[in-house]
Amino acid sequence: MKRSVRTGLLYLALVALYLLHNDLWLWNDPGLVLGLPAGLAYHVGFCIATSIVLTLLVLHAWPSHLDREAGTTREETR
Amino acid sequence: MTLAVIIGYLLVVLVIGLFSHRFFRGTSEDFFVAARTLGPFILLISLFGANMTAFALLGSSGEAYMEGIGVFALMASSSGLVIPVVFYFIGTRIWALGKRRGYLTPVQFFRERWGSDNLGLLLFVVQVGLLIPYLLIGVMGGGSTLTQVTGGQVPDWVGGLVISAVVLTYVTYGGMRGTVWVNVFQTVILLALGFIAFWVIIDKLGGLSAAMARLAETHPDMLVRGDHIKPLQLLTYTCIPLSVGMFPHMFIHWLTAKNAASFRPVIAFYPVCIAIVWVPSVLLGVLAHLDFPGLNAGAAGSVLVKMISLHAPGLLAGLLAAGVFAAIMNSFDSQVHAVGTMFTQDIVRHYGFHDRMGEKTQILVGRLFMVGILIATYVLSRFVDRSIFKLGVWCFTGFAALFPVVVAAVFWKRSTKWGAFASTVSVIVLWIWFVSQGWKTGSTTIGESGVMPVAVMLLVSTAAMIVGSLATRPPEAATLDKFFPKAER
């Protein structure tokens, strides 16, 4: 898969996560999941899912040009 | 026992801060941004710690007591997504620009990016102005926490004085390296103590399942969002963590990274770190209804201390107090360091020395400013009304609404200083208006609709940036060459 496609898909995953953050369907769910209230368990899972997507992002869509740019000689402007 | 644990903890903090000085290279870059040498692990812990205030421990449990488990979605998991995304898109690029051009403060960057001293001065005033309430809250919160956990043995003014004195010692002596070393230690303490306090109390309550079953019978509304939080509030609250893009202390922390790759674990693990700190605090906050039903909002703010005192007095109370001090000092020291750095670099060096100032003089002036800021903060904290705590929430809104300024500076080549002026002025005007309205009504959303004012302010400041830029002359090619390497253009 091309790098630009991978990057695009990962950016889309971030948008999807943003939408999934608004879990309206659990708003009044009083059930327990793994001992936690469903609305809380969902958002703990959300944090883990976010971590996974961000891990993929830094592995497959890293702006590697930044280190090269920063490595250039600092301009003595001051 | 409690007091002995706290004193022991503060001594350890002092020793770490003072020991860091052995690695001091004697340069201003080392004093202000730790010579840009921080690796991945240290950067993760120090950035996380600098962004975690006492609110993550005490405030979150108090909010959860009042509003239920929805507080986690509102304030924690939203930050878990937005903050690392800001690090990825903005933080890494600011680091690269800072390293290439030698920036030590956000104002240096904005001033040069748009070639305007006046814009730099305006942003200096706004950023420092919005940070002052946090400094006061840090000192005042430390004082009141010490009083609570020692059962009134230690008066309020002593706690604030102790925090100020400890921070003054290691920040002025160790500079950014001292601040970061202490931050790492304190963040580890904070993460560990959150878990320890949680398990000890849950055990005393008969286990998590039993405690949840009891809560479901007596306070079922705490286990759902229900009417406590509105859907629009959940949606628009996600704008608040954008504040991390304009916090001067976070900006300066970005500049401490050794290389761009150092940001990788920060970005990947930040959401999990947020969950580790917030889940125990939120759960203890809602479960506090079992032992302390019917508290008002003011009393709920110290509900975690009450739980500890009831279920695990003595050693654990002392450790919890150490954890709270860790949370307070973690952000407080970074903010003091940031304000001192900005006064030194953006005012004294730029206007007094026309950017020609010796290394030793910069360090000396930086230290003097940091001492002055701490003394002024402590003295002010003795006179300021406690309603300043309410202002703290609004400061997040102000920083978040300025987010279009940093986005345009980093990504939008066509942006101009007039666009940045328009955006900043719109934030100032709307912030004053919303704060005055919120102060009167006590509401943090617009007309009780659930829409956070920050969402409106962001829209307006974005529009102001676009219109102001497009209506004025494009920036010169020479300026763009400095900030957008040709490979990227």
Side-chain angles (χ1 to χ4, degrees):
Chain A
M1 193 186 292
K2 273 187 179 176
R3 180 185 161 83
S4 58
V5 175
R6 277 202 312 263
T7 304
L9 286 174
L10 285 165
Y11 287 0
L12 274 178
L14 290 178
V15 175
L17 279 171
Y18 182 76
L19 297 174
L20 287 169
H21 183 260
N22 299 278
D23 58 328
L24 301 178
W25 56 94
L26 289 174
W27 210 265
N28 290 308
D29 188 336
L32 295 178
V33 177
L34 300 173
L36 297 174
L40 181 59
Y42 175 85
H43 279 276
V44 173
F46 177 87
C47 284
I48 294 167
T50 303
S51 228
I52 292 169
V53 170
L54 291 171
T55 301
L56 293 173
L57 191 74
V58 300
L59 289 178
H60 298 291
W62 187 247
S64 48
H65 59 90
L66 292 176
D67 270 323
R68 284 196 304 277
E69 287 171 22
T72 54
T73 312
R74 181 186 302 166
E75 297 162 44
E76 298 298 337
T77 53
R78 279 181 294 279
Chain B
M1 173 62 97
T2 304
L3 205 54
V5 173
I6 294 169
I7 291 170
Y9 171 78
L10 292 175
L11 284 175
V12 172
V13 163
L14 269 180
V15 168
I16 293 172
L18 297 178
F19 183 71
S20 72
H21 188 72
R22 294 185 62 169
F23 296 84
F24 184 48
R25 299 175 182 181
T27 65
S28 60
E29 192 175 50
D30 193 76
F31 186 77
F32 293 115
V33 290
R36 306 179 204 273
T37 53
L38 299 194
F41 173 74
I42 302 290
L43 190 67
L44 164 66
I45 301 293
S46 69
L47 268 173
F48 180 70
N51 207 31
M52 280 289 116
T53 62
F55 190 83
L57 270 186
L58 294 182
S60 58
S61 50
E63 280 289 316
Y65 180 91
M66 298 304 293
E67 308 295 347
I69 54 103
V71 166
F72 186 85
L74 193 69
M75 299 176 174
S77 65
S78 59
S79 295
L81 172 64
V82 175
I83 291 175
V85 169
V86 172
F87 289 169
Y88 174 82
F89 285 106
I90 306 288
T92 51
R93 284 161 175 86
I94 292 290
W95 166 81
L97 284 164
K99 180 145 188 172
R100 196 165 77 231
R101 302 193 59 76
Y103 297 132
L104 298 173
T105 71
V107 170
Q108 286 178 338
F109 165 59
F110 292 123
R111 191 168 54 207
E112 204 168 279
R113 169 66 181 84
W114 285 305
S116 170
D117 266 14
N118 290 336
L119 177 66
L121 195 58
L122 178 66
L123 284 168
F124 173 88
V125 171
V126 172
Q127 286 190 308
V128 172
L130 286 172
L131 213 50
I132 286 172
Y134 285 115
L135 295 173
L136 288 167
I137 287 168
V139 173
M140 292 163 81
S144 56
T145 302
L146 194 59
T147 304
Q148 283 169 15
V149 295
T150 57
Q153 276 183 302
V154 179
D156 196 44
W157 64 271
V158 174
L161 186 62
V162 167
I163 281 205
S164 300
V166 171
V167 168
L168 182 146
T169 308
Y170 70 77
V171 169
T172 55
Y173 193 57
M176 180 55 101
R177 182 168 282 106
T179 306
V180 164
W181 281 32
V182 171
N183 271 2
V184 170
F185 170 71
Q186 298 200 116
T187 305
V188 171
I189 291 286
L190 177 66
L191 291 168
L193 290 182
F195 254 120
I196 293 170
F198 178 70
W199 287 118
V200 169
I201 293 174
I202 290 296
D203 188 52
K204 291 283 171 69
L205 289 172
L208 185 61
S209 300
M212 279 296 163
R214 281 170 60 200
L215 190 67
E217 283 174 21
T218 57
H219 295 83
D221 63 311
M222 287 289 110
L223 302 181
V224 296
R225 265 158 275 175
D227 296 329
H228 291 293
I229 293 168
K230 294 183 168 69
L232 275 175
Q233 192 179 0
L234 183 64
L235 178 70
T236 55
Y237 205 97
T238 52
C239 299
I240 292 282
L242 293 174
S243 53
V244 78
M246 282 300 283
F247 277 143
H249 55 293
M250 295 306 283
F251 190 106
I252 294 172
H253 261 272
W254 291 338
L255 301 176
T256 62
K258 186 179 182 181
N259 49 34
S262 297
F263 281 87
R264 283 179 159 170
V266 181
I267 293 161
F269 297 125
Y270 202 92
V272 174
C273 290
I274 290 256
I276 289 172
V277 171
W278 277 74
V279 170
S281 298
V282 168
L283 280 174
L284 291 179
V286 294
L287 289 171
H289 281 279
L290 299 176
D291 294 315
F292 302 99
L295 298 179
N296 61 28
S302 57
V303 74
L304 189 60
V305 177
K306 291 181 196 296
M307 292 283 275
I308 292 278
S309 302
L310 179 68
H311 293 290
L315 180 66
L316 191 59
L319 289 173
L320 173 82
V324 173
F325 274 120
I328 291 172
M329 290 199 289
N330 252 356
S331 43
F332 184 58
D333 57 9
S334 300
Q335 290 160 355
V336 169
H337 181 275
V339 176
T341 303
M342 289 171 75
F343 266 109
T344 306
Q345 299 296 332
D346 301 330
I347 302 297
V348 179
R349 184 182 177 203
H350 186 66
Y351 292 103
F353 289 80
H354 305 287
D355 293 330
R356 298 183 194 285
M357 193 176 178
E359 297 278 318
K360 283 186 178 169
T361 314
Q362 285 184 54
I363 296 167
L364 177 66
V365 172
R367 283 180 168 147
L368 289 175
F369 266 111
M370 287 165 199
V371 171
I373 288 156
L374 274 163
I375 292 172
T377 304
Y378 178 71
V379 172
L380 261 179
S381 74
R382 303 310 308 153
F383 299 105
V384 170
D385 188 82
R386 290 191 72 81
S387 60
I388 189 134
F389 279 77
K390 282 197 290 181
L391 195 59
V393 179
W394 285 99
C395 291
F396 272 95
T397 298
F399 281 117
L402 287 169
F403 190 65
V405 174
V406 72
V407 173
V410 171
F411 290 108
W412 194 28
K413 293 192 270 284
R414 180 64 179 79
S415 63
T416 68
K417 69 174 177 181
W418 296 112
F421 263 121
S423 185
T424 307
V425 170
S426 77
V427 170
I428 295 169
V429 172
L430 285 173
W431 189 82
I432 292 170
W433 192 79
F434 277 122
V435 170
S436 62
Q437 293 300 308
W439 214 264
K440 281 184 212 159
T441 62
S443 171
T444 52
T445 66
I446 299 172
E448 302 294 339
S449 63
V451 175
M452 301 292 295
V454 66
V456 176
M457 291 169 70
L458 257 178
L459 281 177
V460 174
S461 68
T462 303
M465 172 61 83
I466 294 170
V467 173
S469 295
L470 294 180
T472 50
R473 204 173 52 171
E476 291 172 8
T479 305
L480 292 180
D481 285 340
K482 290 182 195 169
F483 294 93
F484 299 93
K486 288 204 163 52
E488 271 207 318
R489 291 173 64 189

